[in-house]
């Protein structure tokens, strides 16, 4: 089967070039924000935001605005609700998760949107990435890199010891808010790549693997980005060869490496 | 000598209608070395948090060297060693942690300066844990973690050092060297040490205050006898939130608790 579709040919297609570009760009945001999501033990947050933004998608289809705008609005809105809920944030996350999906389905039904559009948001549409999608991810990367470069020590301190950060005069509320907004934008962006159902995996698994091999947050971000890029590019080409949906192949590959790493980690620690 | 910490009529808690601390009056003088003792749940940690400005007083007032706690400069003058909680795996090195003690001296959108790093290194050396500076916090022993947290508190060059249960997780020998270090620091720094284990501190401190929801006693106590009088009751018998539930035989001490509610129950020598 690979014979009829040599990998090198794939790069001749514009849609494949776009897919490669967005995979690499998405990995940067994914590695950095995924690291913060993972060390703050907030993977449910990513899932919740992604599913809540489905409501925004539905609304966008219904009132005829760009779906990305609807999704982004809902994502940021739900991130801020979760942030405000604080101690009840797990309940807030669960509620937003389900409400977003339900609202989205209702809006979409009313708007009469063709279901293929829907499927592309649920399962990703890596092979139908537009130039403006790439621009969106590029801008998001720059934003995230600037924020992390300027506020790295604050993000580290607030993630590790919020109380002590507050004592040191760090604006912890602002840092957490910024984190939630960036996480929301990243979740929306990842919907384009792997689909909303798989956003959690893409955000947390590369970071979780990276966490096993490093003891600095900075290195974890770098390693998670590299891993995310490796998984999404190899998943993309594997999907091309096997003629399977790329989002799903990327996740399967990622999960395989994750479980293998856990096994290796277990064996290593048993030997010591 | 000026007061370092002054607490007047402090009441504070977490849930409305359920104050954890009631009418606390306490003055800690500069260069004092005071132990705050009391049972688990008695509100010791809460008192420290109020002093640090982490929780707002419901009633009353706290001043640090004459200034209200809220100001940033005042907070920067206090070093805090929190109660050790079982650490979760987190990608943070010992050096990273100690540098957090310098956040107040730095600012947003800035990297730690050479001065920040040398302050961190100096205090890691002082606590004898400089060889661990690149190790992940998770892999340290309880005693080592405790030293790192003290180094973090000292890195900010505080005038007042507040320690919450610092000897809970270290063996006897480590405790001895730990108290020697504190005695040394005490030459230039006011020290407030919280513990529920009176036996381990009585010989090392200058003053003792006993807190169980309210200040039971506060006074200079260097002998075992004086310690017991300062409590107003045998420590073990002060049960959670109920200072009066004291076994009959100790009725005298029971009444002395009442007498000491004003917080000035100085013990005579
Ligand atoms: N964050 C909190 N929220 C609500 N109640 C708390 C909180 N922290 C402590 N408490 C309650 O306040 C009381 C005093 O706790 P604490 O100050 O930690 O005592 P200690 O340090 O003397 O053991 C306890 O009854 C505890 O349950
Ligand atoms: Mg405590």
């Amino acid at each position: 089967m690979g014979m009829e579709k040599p990998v090198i040919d794939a790069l001749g297609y514009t849609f494949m070039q776009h897919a490669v570009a967005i995979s690499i760009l998405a990995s940067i945001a994914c590695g950095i924000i995924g690291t913060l999501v993972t060390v703050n033990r907030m993977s449910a947050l990513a899932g919740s935001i992604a599913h809540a933004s489905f409501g925004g998608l539905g609304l966008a289809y219904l009132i005829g605005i760009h779906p990305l705008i609807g999704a982004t609005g809902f994502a940021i809105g739900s991130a801020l609700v979760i942030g405000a809920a604080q101690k009840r944030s797990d309940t807030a996350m669960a509620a937003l998760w389900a409400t977003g999906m339900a609202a989205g389905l209702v809006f979409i039904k009313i708007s009469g949107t063709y279901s293929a559009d829907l499927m592309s948001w649920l399962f990703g549409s890596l092979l139908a990435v537009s130039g403006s999608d790439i621009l969106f991810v590029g801008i998001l990367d720059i934003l995230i890199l600037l924020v992390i470069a300027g506020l790295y020590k604050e993000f580290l301190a607030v993630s590790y010891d919020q109380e002590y950060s507050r004592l040191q005069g760090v604006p912890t509320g602002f840092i957490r808010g910024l984190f939630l907004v960036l996480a929301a934008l990243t979740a929306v962006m990842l919907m384009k790549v792997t689909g909303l159902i798989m956003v959690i995996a893409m955000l947390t698994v590369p970071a979780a693997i990276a966490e096993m091999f490093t003891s600095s947050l900075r290195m974890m971000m770098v390693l998670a980005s590299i891993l995310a890029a490796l998984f999404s590019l190899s998943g993309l080409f594997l999907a091309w060869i096997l003629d399977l949906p790329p989002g799903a192949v990327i996740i399967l590959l990622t999960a395989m490496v994750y479980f293998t790493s856990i096994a290796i980690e277990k064996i290593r620690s048993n030997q010591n | 000598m000026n007061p370092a910490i002054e607490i007047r009529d402090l009441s504070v808690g977490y849930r409305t209608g359920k104050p954890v601390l009631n009418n606390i009056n306490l003055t800690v003088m500069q260069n004092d070395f005071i132990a705050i003792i009391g049972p688990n749940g008695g509100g010791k940690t809460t008192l420290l948090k109020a002093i640090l400005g982490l929780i707002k007083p419901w009633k009353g007032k706290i001043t640090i060297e004459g200034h209200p706690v809220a100001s940033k400069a005042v907070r920067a003058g206090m070093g805090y060693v929190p109660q050790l909680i079982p650490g979760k795996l987190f990608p943070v090195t010992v050096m990273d942690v100690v540098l957090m003690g310098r956040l107040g001296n730095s600012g947003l959108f800035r990297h730690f300066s050479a001065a920040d790093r040398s302050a961190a290194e100096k205090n890691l050396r002082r606590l004898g844990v400089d060889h661990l500076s690149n190790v992940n916090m998770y892999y340290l022993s309880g005693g080592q973690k405790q030293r790192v947290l003290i180094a973090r508190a000292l890195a900010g060059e505080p005038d007042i050092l507040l320690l919450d249960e610092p000897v809970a997780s270290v063996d006897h020998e480590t405790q001895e060297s730990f108290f020697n270090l504190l005695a040394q620091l005490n030459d230039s720094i006011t020290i407030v040490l919280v513990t529920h284990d009176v036996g381990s501190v009585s010989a090392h401190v200058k003053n003792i205050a006993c807190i169980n929801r309210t200040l039971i006693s506060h006074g200079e106590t260097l002998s075992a006898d004086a310690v017991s009088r300062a409590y107003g009751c045998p420590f073990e018998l002060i049960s959670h939130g109920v200072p009066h539930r004291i076994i009959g035989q100790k009725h005298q001490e029971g009444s002395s608790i009442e007498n000491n509610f004003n917080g000035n129950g100085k013990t005579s020598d």
Side-chain angles (χ1 to χ4, degrees):
Chain A
M1 58 192 156
M3 287 303 105
E4 306 107 69
K5 287 168 80 181
V7 167
I8 202 76
D9 281 7
L11 287 170
Y13 297 99
T14 311
F15 71 83
M16 270 309 260
Q17 291 163 3
H18 282 180
V20 168
I22 208 162
S23 297
I24 293 170
L25 289 175
S27 300
I28 297 172
C30 185
I32 296 173
I33 297 302
T35 292
L36 290 174
V37 165
T38 304
V39 298
N40 283 291
R41 306 287 176 245
M42 288 189 88
S43 40
L45 167 90
S48 169
I49 291 173
H51 287 78
S53 63
F54 191 70
L57 273 179
L59 189 63
Y61 280 120
L62 185 63
I63 63 178
I65 55 172
H66 195 288
L68 218 47
I69 296 174
T72 308
F74 267 54
I76 292 179
S78 57
L80 295 179
V81 168
I82 293 165
Q86 290 202 349
K87 292 224 169 75
R88 290 268 170 277
S89 66
D90 55 337
T91 323
M93 285 192 255
L96 286 166
W97 187 306
T99 316
M101 286 306 281
L105 285 174
V106 169
F107 290 145
I108 282 166
K109 176 75 185 166
I110 299 171
S111 74
T113 308
Y114 178 53
S115 70
D117 279 355
L118 210 63
M119 293 295 279
S120 83
W121 286 105
L122 288 175
F123 298 102
S125 51
L126 199 45
L127 299 180
V129 168
S130 67
S132 64
D133 292 332
I134 294 175
L135 190 68
F136 173 72
V137 183
I139 291 172
L140 180 61
D141 279 345
I142 291 170
L143 187 67
I144 290 173
L145 286 170
L146 283 178
V147 167
I148 292 300
L151 299 170
Y152 175 78
K153 64 187 193 313
E154 283 78 16
F155 271 92
L156 173 60
V158 172
S159 303
Y160 179 66
D161 191 340
Q162 187 164 348
E163 183 176 72
Y164 203 82
S165 311
R166 206 143 69 77
L167 270 181
Q168 292 287 318
V170 175
T172 54
F174 170 72
I175 297 291
R176 286 199 81 81
L178 201 55
F179 162 63
L180 289 169
V181 169
L182 292 177
L185 292 173
T186 305
V188 171
M189 177 276 285
L190 280 176
M191 287 169 69
K192 197 72 198 173
V193 182
T194 53
L196 83 84
I197 290 175
M198 290 175 276
V199 165
I200 296 195
M202 213 46 214
L203 262 182
T204 56
V205 178
I209 297 170
E211 194 177 29
M212 297 177 199
F213 301 99
T214 165
S215 55
S216 112
L217 190 73
R218 200 190 310 269
M219 281 312 296
M220 185 172 158
M221 288 173 172
V222 173
L223 193 55
S225 295
I226 292 172
L227 288 172
L230 278 179
F231 296 149
S232 41
L233 288 179
S234 41
L236 175 64
F237 286 110
L238 198 61
W240 166 268
I241 293 168
L242 302 176
D243 200 15
L244 289 168
V249 175
I250 290 171
I251 296 300
L252 288 176
L253 202 65
T254 305
M256 228 167 62
V257 176
Y258 176 60
F259 290 118
T260 312
S261 322
I262 289 183
I264 292 172
E265 181 81 6
K266 268 262 174 304
I267 292 165
R268 267 208 324 203
S269 60
N270 283 348
Q271 278 171 349
N272 294 340
Chain B
M1 193 122 331
N2 295 321
I5 304 171
E6 261 197 294
I7 302 173
R8 289 284 152 266
D9 301 322
L10 173 73
S11 291
V12 68
Y14 302 91
R15 275 168 299 161
T16 26
K18 290 190 174 171
V20 170
L21 294 174
N22 248 320
N23 292 317
I24 303 282
N25 284 290
L26 178 67
T27 303
V28 179
M29 300 305 275
Q30 270 171 11
N31 283 86
D32 196 355
F33 186 164
I34 185 171
I36 295 179
I37 55 178
N40 279 323
K44 305 181 297 298
T45 299
T46 304
L47 181 67
L48 283 195
K49 287 188 176 175
I51 294 172
L52 287 160
L54 285 169
I55 49 175
K56 277 217 186 72
W58 290 358
K59 201 164 75 58
K61 173 170 107 165
I62 303 173
T63 51
I64 310 296
E65 280 154 4
H67 303 284
V69 183
S71 93
K72 200 185 160 187
V74 166
R75 280 195 200 177
M78 290 188 283
Y80 175 42
V81 181
Q83 200 162 356
L84 205 59
I85 43 163
K88 52 187 173 145
L89 185 60
F90 189 100
V92 67
T93 63
V94 164
M95 185 47 136
D96 287 333
V97 172
V98 177
L99 277 172
M100 283 172 203
R102 297 290 296 182
L103 282 166
N105 308 59
S106 188
L108 300 180
F109 305 108
R110 279 169 48 184
H111 289 285
F112 285 119
S113 65
D116 295 327
R117 289 187 181 278
S118 72
E121 276 158 17
K122 185 182 94 184
N123 285 294
L124 280 171
R125 245 176 287 127
R126 197 184 203 172
L127 274 298
V129 280
D130 46 328
H131 60 290
L132 298 171
S133 85
N134 290 318
V135 177
N136 189 315
M137 274 301 268
Y138 184 73
Y139 298 111
L140 304 192
S141 71
Q144 288 171 329
K145 265 184 210 159
Q146 204 60 262
R147 281 158 185 271
V148 172
L149 295 186
I150 295 169
R152 171 172 77 170
L154 293 176
E157 289 152 10
D159 305 319
I160 302 171
L161 186 60
L162 304 148
L163 305 109
D164 199 350
E165 310 261 7
V167 287
S169 58
V170 296
D171 57 72
H172 188 73
E173 247 166 72
T174 319
Q175 272 189 32
E176 283 305 308
S177 69
F178 170 75
F179 278 111
N180 287 338
L181 173 79
L182 288 186
Q184 217 179 312
L185 291 170
N186 189 221
D187 289 340
S188 54
I189 300 178
T190 311
I191 299 181
V192 178
L193 187 152
V194 155
T195 183
H196 68 270
D197 176 13
V198 63
S200 68
V201 301
S202 56
H204 305 274
V205 301
K206 296 178 183 166
N207 280 297
I208 289 184
C210 178
I211 295 272
N212 187 9
R213 303 283 165 158
T214 186
L215 190 74
I216 291 174
S217 176
H218 174 214
E220 222 164 298
T221 50
L222 295 168
S223 67
D225 176 50
V227 168
S228 132
R229 255 183 293 149
Y231 276 120
C233 57
F235 168 73
E236 289 78 7
L237 296 178
I238 307 173
S239 53
H240 183 106
V242 193
H244 298 276
R245 212 171 69 199
I246 296 159
I247 292 173
Q249 176 227 338
K250 304 289 177 194
H251 65 279
Q252 271 179 322
E253 287 88 339
S255 61
S256 89
I257 294 174
E258 295 286 350
N259 298 337
N260 287 338
F261 263 19
N262 58 19
N264 291 324
K266 276 247 174 217
T267 47
S268 52
D269 290 319

